[in-house]
């Protein structure tokens, strides 16, 4: 039996993270779905950076990137979204190294699920094979479609990439690929379901535990 804890969009809620420490300790694997930064309330960017850096080398953790993280790793003109904070940018630049950012991926597999920040649809699924090229392009100041926002989020593409796809307005199942995503907040703090897939962004009111028993998953 293997237990994986999925933690959706964090948005600097350091007190909630600390309240999850017993669950984190009990899990065999922890997958964080991104959006570690940005809050429309009090900033806790420094505490979040320290929380991340204390755990980045721990193989128990899988770190995924969200759209709110991309505009701190690169420039907001290329990856910007609401909530950008110049003080947070300074904190991230002073503390997060290239070696730190190398721990952050775009997607991972947990049991039968493909897990990412915002998800893939059939038209964007090919971007899963372009992660290295997309990161190299972003490092060079060029925005790759993998990081693009769709029309639903004010972007210039028909559908958002796996950091931006809106679950309510843009999501469509990829055949034979159930997914778990965050990104699209539910103000009623309820997990959203569409087809074979789930959006678990409830403002950290809910985390998800997946238990694998051989070929069976709870």
């Amino acid at each position: 039996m293997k237990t994986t804890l999925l933690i959706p969009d964090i948005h600097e809620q350091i007190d909630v993270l600390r309240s999850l420490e017993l669950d984190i300790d009990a899990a065999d694997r922890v997958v964080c779905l991104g959006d570690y930064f940005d809050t429309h309330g009090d900033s806790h960017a420094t505490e979040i950076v320290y929380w991340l850096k204390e755990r980045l080398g721990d193989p128990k953790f899988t770190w995924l990137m969200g759209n709110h993280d991309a505009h701190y790793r690169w420039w907001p003109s290329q990856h910007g979204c609401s909530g950008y904070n110049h003080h947070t940018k300074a904190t991230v630049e002073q503390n997060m190294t290239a070696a730190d950012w190398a721990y952050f991926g775009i997607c991972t597999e947990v049991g039968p699920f493909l897990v990412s920040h915002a998800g893939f649809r059939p038209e964007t699924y090919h971007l899963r094979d372009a992660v290295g090229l997309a990161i190299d392009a972003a490092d060079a100041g060029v925005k790759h479609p993998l990081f693009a926002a769709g029309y639903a989020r004010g972007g210039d593409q028909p559908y958002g990439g796996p950091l931006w796809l809106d679950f309510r307005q843009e999501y469509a199942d990829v055949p034979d690929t159930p997914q778990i995503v965050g990104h699209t907040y539910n103000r009623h703090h309820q997990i959203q379901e569409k087809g074979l897939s789930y959006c678990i962004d409830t403002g950290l009111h809910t985390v998800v535990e997946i238990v694998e028993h051989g070929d069976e998953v709870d």
Side-chain angles (χ1 to χ4, degrees), residues 41-60:
D42 295 334
S43 176
H44 297 283
T46 300
E47 293 95 323
I48 289 296
V49 165
Y50 290 161
W51 187 88
L52 289 170
K53 288 179 70 72
E54 286 174 355
R55 294 161 177 81
L56 285 178
D58 187 341
K60 177 175 184 170

